[in-house]
PDB file of all heavy atoms in Angstrom:
ATOM      1  N   GLU I  63     -22.238  23.882   4.866  1.00  0.00           N
ATOM      2  CA  GLU I  63     -23.200  22.826   5.139  1.00  0.00           C
ATOM      3  C   GLU I  63     -24.561  23.368   5.537  1.00  0.00           C
ATOM      4  O   GLU I  63     -25.585  22.738   5.355  1.00  0.00           O
ATOM      5  CB  GLU I  63     -22.643  21.959   6.276  1.00  0.00           C
ATOM      6  CG  GLU I  63     -22.780  20.493   6.007  1.00  0.00           C
ATOM      7  CD  GLU I  63     -22.235  19.714   7.173  1.00  0.00           C
ATOM      8  OE1 GLU I  63     -21.056  19.857   7.493  1.00  0.00           O
ATOM      9  OE2 GLU I  63     -23.016  18.973   7.772  1.00  0.00           O
ATOM     10  N   CYS I  66     -28.303  23.034   3.658  1.00  0.00           N
ATOM     11  CA  CYS I  66     -28.400  21.869   2.788  1.00  0.00           C
ATOM     12  C   CYS I  66     -29.767  21.213   2.964  1.00  0.00           C
ATOM     13  O   CYS I  66     -30.308  21.142   4.066  1.00  0.00           O
ATOM     14  CB  CYS I  66     -27.307  20.845   3.119  1.00  0.00           C
ATOM     15  SG  CYS I  66     -25.659  21.393   2.647  1.00  0.00           S
ATOM     16  N   HIS I  89     -22.701  10.613   8.500  1.00  0.00           N
ATOM     17  CA  HIS I  89     -21.718  11.615   8.932  1.00  0.00           C
ATOM     18  C   HIS I  89     -21.736  12.789   7.951  1.00  0.00           C
ATOM     19  O   HIS I  89     -20.784  12.986   7.190  1.00  0.00           O
ATOM     20  CB  HIS I  89     -20.306  11.010   9.034  1.00  0.00           C
ATOM     21  CG  HIS I  89     -19.988   9.997   7.972  1.00  0.00           C
ATOM     22  ND1 HIS I  89     -19.623  10.353   6.686  1.00  0.00           N
ATOM     23  CD2 HIS I  89     -19.988   8.645   8.000  1.00  0.00           C
ATOM     24  CE1 HIS I  89     -19.405   9.263   5.980  1.00  0.00           C
ATOM     25  NE2 HIS I  89     -19.613   8.210   6.744  1.00  0.00           N
ATOM     26  N   LEU I 114     -28.363  18.669  -9.214  1.00  0.00           N
ATOM     27  CA  LEU I 114     -28.012  18.427 -10.616  1.00  0.00           C
ATOM     28  C   LEU I 114     -28.935  17.383 -11.227  1.00  0.00           C
ATOM     29  O   LEU I 114     -29.405  17.538 -12.363  1.00  0.00           O
ATOM     30  CB  LEU I 114     -26.553  17.993 -10.721  1.00  0.00           C
ATOM     31  CG  LEU I 114     -26.014  17.902 -12.150  1.00  0.00           C
ATOM     32  CD1 LEU I 114     -24.592  18.468 -12.244  1.00  0.00           C
ATOM     33  CD2 LEU I 114     -26.013  16.461 -12.668  1.00  0.00           C
ATOM     34  N   GLY I 122     -36.223  16.673 -18.793  1.00  0.00           N
ATOM     35  CA  GLY I 122     -36.563  15.448 -19.509  1.00  0.00           C
ATOM     36  C   GLY I 122     -35.365  14.640 -19.934  1.00  0.00           C
ATOM     37  O   GLY I 122     -35.440  13.859 -20.900  1.00  0.00           O
ATOM     38  N   GLY I 150     -29.446   7.735 -15.098  1.00  0.00           N
ATOM     39  CA  GLY I 150     -28.583   7.507 -16.245  1.00  0.00           C
ATOM     40  C   GLY I 150     -27.236   6.940 -15.861  1.00  0.00           C
ATOM     41  O   GLY I 150     -27.044   6.435 -14.750  1.00  0.00           O
ATOM     42  N   ALA I 156     -11.887  13.663 -21.068  1.00  0.00           N
ATOM     43  CA  ALA I 156     -10.967  14.739 -20.699  1.00  0.00           C
ATOM     44  C   ALA I 156     -11.152  15.936 -21.622  1.00  0.00           C
ATOM     45  O   ALA I 156     -11.405  15.772 -22.824  1.00  0.00           O
ATOM     46  CB  ALA I 156      -9.526  14.247 -20.769  1.00  0.00           C
ATOM     47  N   ARG I 169     -20.611   8.832 -31.187  1.00  0.00           N
ATOM     48  CA  ARG I 169     -21.311   7.853 -32.027  1.00  0.00           C
ATOM     49  C   ARG I 169     -21.713   6.627 -31.226  1.00  0.00           C
ATOM     50  O   ARG I 169     -22.834   6.117 -31.373  1.00  0.00           O
ATOM     51  CB  ARG I 169     -20.416   7.447 -33.200  1.00  0.00           C
ATOM     52  CG  ARG I 169     -20.193   8.536 -34.229  1.00  0.00           C
ATOM     53  CD  ARG I 169     -19.464   8.005 -35.444  1.00  0.00           C
ATOM     54  NE  ARG I 169     -18.115   7.530 -35.126  1.00  0.00           N
ATOM     55  CZ  ARG I 169     -17.044   8.300 -35.105  1.00  0.00           C
ATOM     56  NH1 ARG I 169     -17.143   9.598 -35.367  1.00  0.00           N
ATOM     57  NH2 ARG I 169     -15.854   7.790 -34.833  1.00  0.00           N
ATOM     58  N   PRO I 174     -25.263  11.525 -26.607  1.00  0.00           N
ATOM     59  CA  PRO I 174     -25.547  11.640 -25.173  1.00  0.00           C
ATOM     60  C   PRO I 174     -25.750  13.091 -24.737  1.00  0.00           C
ATOM     61  O   PRO I 174     -25.451  14.031 -25.483  1.00  0.00           O
ATOM     62  CB  PRO I 174     -24.273  11.078 -24.537  1.00  0.00           C
ATOM     63  CG  PRO I 174     -23.197  11.452 -25.531  1.00  0.00           C
ATOM     64  CD  PRO I 174     -23.833  11.297 -26.879  1.00  0.00           C
ATOM     65  N   VAL I 206     -34.474  20.931  -5.592  1.00  0.00           N
ATOM     66  CA  VAL I 206     -34.548  19.473  -5.452  1.00  0.00           C
ATOM     67  C   VAL I 206     -35.975  19.020  -5.733  1.00  0.00           C
ATOM     68  O   VAL I 206     -36.923  19.469  -5.099  1.00  0.00           O
ATOM     69  CB  VAL I 206     -34.104  19.029  -4.049  1.00  0.00           C
ATOM     70  CG1 VAL I 206     -34.305  17.526  -3.867  1.00  0.00           C
ATOM     71  CG2 VAL I 206     -32.636  19.389  -3.817  1.00  0.00           C
ATOM     72  N   THR I 233      -8.707  -1.211 -33.408  1.00  0.00           N
ATOM     73  CA  THR I 233      -9.100  -0.674 -34.700  1.00  0.00           C
ATOM     74  C   THR I 233      -9.021   0.844 -34.731  1.00  0.00           C
ATOM     75  O   THR I 233      -9.259   1.461 -35.764  1.00  0.00           O
ATOM     76  CB  THR I 233     -10.545  -1.081 -35.030  1.00  0.00           C
ATOM     77  OG1 THR I 233     -11.429  -0.491 -34.059  1.00  0.00           O
ATOM     78  CG2 THR I 233     -10.707  -2.574 -35.002  1.00  0.00           C
ATOM     79  N   GLY I 258      -8.321  -2.545   4.786  1.00  0.00           N
ATOM     80  CA  GLY I 258      -8.588  -1.836   6.031  1.00  0.00           C
ATOM     81  C   GLY I 258      -8.662  -0.332   5.879  1.00  0.00           C
ATOM     82  O   GLY I 258      -8.236   0.420   6.765  1.00  0.00           O
ATOM     83  N   PHE I 273     -10.155   7.142 -16.128  1.00  0.00           N
ATOM     84  CA  PHE I 273      -9.343   5.930 -16.005  1.00  0.00           C
ATOM     85  C   PHE I 273      -9.824   5.176 -14.779  1.00  0.00           C
ATOM     86  O   PHE I 273     -10.085   5.761 -13.733  1.00  0.00           O
ATOM     87  CB  PHE I 273      -7.872   6.323 -15.881  1.00  0.00           C
ATOM     88  CG  PHE I 273      -6.903   5.166 -15.844  1.00  0.00           C
ATOM     89  CD1 PHE I 273      -7.122   4.021 -16.578  1.00  0.00           C
ATOM     90  CD2 PHE I 273      -5.756   5.243 -15.078  1.00  0.00           C
ATOM     91  CE1 PHE I 273      -6.223   2.956 -16.540  1.00  0.00           C
ATOM     92  CE2 PHE I 273      -4.845   4.200 -15.039  1.00  0.00           C
ATOM     93  CZ  PHE I 273      -5.082   3.062 -15.776  1.00  0.00           C
ATOM     94  N   PRO I 301       7.258  16.585  -9.680  1.00  0.00           N
ATOM     95  CA  PRO I 301       7.202  15.592  -8.596  1.00  0.00           C
ATOM     96  C   PRO I 301       7.477  16.150  -7.209  1.00  0.00           C
ATOM     97  O   PRO I 301       6.838  15.730  -6.240  1.00  0.00           O
ATOM     98  CB  PRO I 301       8.250  14.563  -9.011  1.00  0.00           C
ATOM     99  CG  PRO I 301       8.312  14.671 -10.496  1.00  0.00           C
ATOM    100  CD  PRO I 301       8.116  16.133 -10.787  1.00  0.00           C
ATOM    101  N   VAL I 320       1.826   2.314 -11.714  1.00  0.00           N
ATOM    102  CA  VAL I 320       3.260   2.087 -11.517  1.00  0.00           C
ATOM    103  C   VAL I 320       4.073   3.245 -12.087  1.00  0.00           C
ATOM    104  O   VAL I 320       5.020   3.735 -11.463  1.00  0.00           O
ATOM    105  CB  VAL I 320       3.679   0.756 -12.173  1.00  0.00           C
ATOM    106  CG1 VAL I 320       5.194   0.663 -12.331  1.00  0.00           C
ATOM    107  CG2 VAL I 320       3.156  -0.421 -11.351  1.00  0.00           C
ATOM    108  N   PHE I 345      -0.297  -0.391  -6.106  1.00  0.00           N
ATOM    109  CA  PHE I 345       0.142  -0.053  -7.457  1.00  0.00           C
ATOM    110  C   PHE I 345      -0.365  -1.072  -8.464  1.00  0.00           C
ATOM    111  O   PHE I 345      -0.607  -2.242  -8.142  1.00  0.00           O
ATOM    112  CB  PHE I 345       1.666   0.074  -7.528  1.00  0.00           C
ATOM    113  CG  PHE I 345       2.425  -1.098  -6.951  1.00  0.00           C
ATOM    114  CD1 PHE I 345       2.742  -2.204  -7.720  1.00  0.00           C
ATOM    115  CD2 PHE I 345       2.835  -1.081  -5.621  1.00  0.00           C
ATOM    116  CE1 PHE I 345       3.446  -3.267  -7.192  1.00  0.00           C
ATOM    117  CE2 PHE I 345       3.544  -2.145  -5.072  1.00  0.00           C
ATOM    118  CZ  PHE I 345       3.849  -3.242  -5.860  1.00  0.00           C
ATOM    119  N   GLU I 353      13.691  -1.891  -8.345  1.00  0.00           N
ATOM    120  CA  GLU I 353      14.524  -0.795  -7.862  1.00  0.00           C
ATOM    121  C   GLU I 353      13.677   0.375  -7.377  1.00  0.00           C
ATOM    122  O   GLU I 353      13.940   0.970  -6.325  1.00  0.00           O
ATOM    123  CB  GLU I 353      15.480  -0.337  -8.972  1.00  0.00           C
ATOM    124  CG  GLU I 353      16.362   0.838  -8.589  1.00  0.00           C
ATOM    125  CD  GLU I 353      17.257   0.553  -7.384  1.00  0.00           C
ATOM    126  OE1 GLU I 353      17.647  -0.616  -7.190  1.00  0.00           O
ATOM    127  OE2 GLU I 353      17.558   1.509  -6.638  1.00  0.00           O
ATOM    128  N   HIS I 354      12.628   0.699  -8.112  1.00  0.00           N
ATOM    129  CA  HIS I 354      11.737   1.792  -7.701  1.00  0.00           C
ATOM    130  C   HIS I 354      10.935   1.396  -6.465  1.00  0.00           C
ATOM    131  O   HIS I 354      10.704   2.228  -5.571  1.00  0.00           O
ATOM    132  CB  HIS I 354      10.811   2.166  -8.850  1.00  0.00           C
ATOM    133  CG  HIS I 354      11.490   2.937  -9.941  1.00  0.00           C
ATOM    134  ND1 HIS I 354      11.618   4.299  -9.922  1.00  0.00           N
ATOM    135  CD2 HIS I 354      12.090   2.511 -11.087  1.00  0.00           C
ATOM    136  CE1 HIS I 354      12.255   4.700 -11.006  1.00  0.00           C
ATOM    137  NE2 HIS I 354      12.563   3.629 -11.721  1.00  0.00           N
ATOM    138  N   TYR I 371      -3.851  -6.306  -9.645  1.00  0.00           N
ATOM    139  CA  TYR I 371      -3.974  -6.676 -11.059  1.00  0.00           C
ATOM    140  C   TYR I 371      -5.451  -6.698 -11.458  1.00  0.00           C
ATOM    141  O   TYR I 371      -6.298  -7.198 -10.708  1.00  0.00           O
ATOM    142  CB  TYR I 371      -3.372  -8.063 -11.334  1.00  0.00           C
ATOM    143  CG  TYR I 371      -3.801  -8.569 -12.699  1.00  0.00           C
ATOM    144  CD1 TYR I 371      -3.174  -8.111 -13.852  1.00  0.00           C
ATOM    145  CD2 TYR I 371      -4.906  -9.411 -12.826  1.00  0.00           C
ATOM    146  CE1 TYR I 371      -3.618  -8.511 -15.097  1.00  0.00           C
ATOM    147  CE2 TYR I 371      -5.349  -9.819 -14.078  1.00  0.00           C
ATOM    148  CZ  TYR I 371      -4.711  -9.360 -15.216  1.00  0.00           C
ATOM    149  OH  TYR I 371      -5.163  -9.730 -16.442  1.00  0.00           O
ATOM    150  N   ARG I 389      11.393 -10.460   1.465  1.00  0.00           N
ATOM    151  CA  ARG I 389      11.401 -11.408   0.345  1.00  0.00           C
ATOM    152  C   ARG I 389      12.156 -10.797  -0.835  1.00  0.00           C
ATOM    153  O   ARG I 389      12.001  -9.616  -1.139  1.00  0.00           O
ATOM    154  CB  ARG I 389       9.962 -11.745  -0.053  1.00  0.00           C
ATOM    155  CG  ARG I 389       9.819 -12.770  -1.154  1.00  0.00           C
ATOM    156  CD  ARG I 389       8.367 -13.199  -1.280  1.00  0.00           C
ATOM    157  NE  ARG I 389       8.115 -13.963  -2.487  1.00  0.00           N
ATOM    158  CZ  ARG I 389       6.931 -14.451  -2.846  1.00  0.00           C
ATOM    159  NH1 ARG I 389       5.884 -14.267  -2.044  1.00  0.00           N
ATOM    160  NH2 ARG I 389       6.768 -15.122  -3.966  1.00  0.00           N
ATOM    161  N   LEU I 409      -6.567 -20.274 -18.823  1.00  0.00           N
ATOM    162  CA  LEU I 409      -7.030 -21.171 -19.875  1.00  0.00           C
ATOM    163  C   LEU I 409      -6.017 -21.194 -21.006  1.00  0.00           C
ATOM    164  O   LEU I 409      -5.460 -20.148 -21.371  1.00  0.00           O
ATOM    165  CB  LEU I 409      -8.391 -20.723 -20.415  1.00  0.00           C
ATOM    166  CG  LEU I 409      -9.565 -20.716 -19.425  1.00  0.00           C
ATOM    167  CD1 LEU I 409     -10.840 -20.269 -20.133  1.00  0.00           C
ATOM    168  CD2 LEU I 409      -9.756 -22.083 -18.786  1.00  0.00           C
ATOM    169  N   GLY I 413      -8.962 -23.735 -24.542  1.00  0.00           N
ATOM    170  CA  GLY I 413      -9.997 -23.510 -23.546  1.00  0.00           C
ATOM    171  C   GLY I 413      -9.916 -24.452 -22.360  1.00  0.00           C
ATOM    172  O   GLY I 413     -10.856 -24.542 -21.571  1.00  0.00           O
ATOM    173  N   GLY I 429     -17.419 -13.705 -12.122  1.00  0.00           N
ATOM    174  CA  GLY I 429     -17.973 -13.164 -10.889  1.00  0.00           C
ATOM    175  C   GLY I 429     -18.813 -11.919 -11.154  1.00  0.00           C
ATOM    176  O   GLY I 429     -18.870 -11.417 -12.275  1.00  0.00           O
ATOM    177  N   ALA I 467      -0.345 -15.423 -17.896  1.00  0.00           N
ATOM    178  CA  ALA I 467       0.294 -15.621 -16.599  1.00  0.00           C
ATOM    179  C   ALA I 467       0.862 -17.029 -16.529  1.00  0.00           C
ATOM    180  O   ALA I 467       0.384 -17.948 -17.195  1.00  0.00           O
ATOM    181  CB  ALA I 467      -0.690 -15.388 -15.456  1.00  0.00           C
ATOM    182  N   GLY I 471       6.922 -21.798  -9.574  1.00  0.00           N
ATOM    183  CA  GLY I 471       7.302 -22.958  -8.779  1.00  0.00           C
ATOM    184  C   GLY I 471       6.734 -22.908  -7.380  1.00  0.00           C
ATOM    185  O   GLY I 471       6.597 -23.945  -6.711  1.00  0.00           O
ATOM    186  N   LEU I 475       0.757 -16.977  -9.207  1.00  0.00           N
ATOM    187  CA  LEU I 475       0.653 -16.510 -10.583  1.00  0.00           C
ATOM    188  C   LEU I 475       1.616 -15.360 -10.822  1.00  0.00           C
ATOM    189  O   LEU I 475       1.726 -14.434 -10.009  1.00  0.00           O
ATOM    190  CB  LEU I 475      -0.775 -16.035 -10.880  1.00  0.00           C
ATOM    191  CG  LEU I 475      -1.879 -17.080 -10.895  1.00  0.00           C
ATOM    192  CD1 LEU I 475      -3.215 -16.421 -11.235  1.00  0.00           C
ATOM    193  CD2 LEU I 475      -1.577 -18.179 -11.902  1.00  0.00           C
ATOM    194  N   ILE I 521      14.256  -6.741 -32.037  1.00  0.00           N
ATOM    195  CA  ILE I 521      13.786  -6.360 -30.709  1.00  0.00           C
ATOM    196  C   ILE I 521      14.645  -5.204 -30.215  1.00  0.00           C
ATOM    197  O   ILE I 521      15.879  -5.255 -30.316  1.00  0.00           O
ATOM    198  CB  ILE I 521      13.872  -7.545 -29.730  1.00  0.00           C
ATOM    199  CG1 ILE I 521      13.040  -8.716 -30.241  1.00  0.00           C
ATOM    200  CG2 ILE I 521      13.406  -7.137 -28.334  1.00  0.00           C
ATOM    201  CD1 ILE I 521      13.296 -10.013 -29.502  1.00  0.00           C
ATOM    202  N   ARG I 572       8.965   4.833 -31.989  1.00  0.00           N
ATOM    203  CA  ARG I 572       8.903   5.985 -32.895  1.00  0.00           C
ATOM    204  C   ARG I 572      10.069   6.938 -32.639  1.00  0.00           C
ATOM    205  O   ARG I 572      10.648   7.501 -33.563  1.00  0.00           O
ATOM    206  CB  ARG I 572       7.578   6.725 -32.732  1.00  0.00           C
ATOM    207  CG  ARG I 572       6.377   6.009 -33.323  1.00  0.00           C
ATOM    208  CD  ARG I 572       5.202   6.948 -33.470  1.00  0.00           C
ATOM    209  NE  ARG I 572       4.759   7.490 -32.185  1.00  0.00           N
ATOM    210  CZ  ARG I 572       3.839   6.915 -31.410  1.00  0.00           C
ATOM    211  NH1 ARG I 572       3.276   5.773 -31.774  1.00  0.00           N
ATOM    212  NH2 ARG I 572       3.480   7.472 -30.267  1.00  0.00           N
ATOM    213  N   GLY I 579      20.322   8.487 -37.516  1.00  0.00           N
ATOM    214  CA  GLY I 579      21.219   9.503 -38.046  1.00  0.00           C
ATOM    215  C   GLY I 579      21.376  10.696 -37.131  1.00  0.00           C
ATOM    216  O   GLY I 579      22.102  11.627 -37.444  1.00  0.00           O
TER     217      GLY I 579
END
Side-chain angles (χ1 to χ4, degrees):
E63 225 181 300
C66 290
H89 37 79
L114 188 139
R169 291 188 297 273
V206 175
T233 64
F273 184 35
V320 164
F345 51 88
E353 178 60 30
H354 286 273
Y371 166 79
R389 183 170 168 180
L409 298 181
L475 293 181
I521 301 168
R572 287 196 299 270

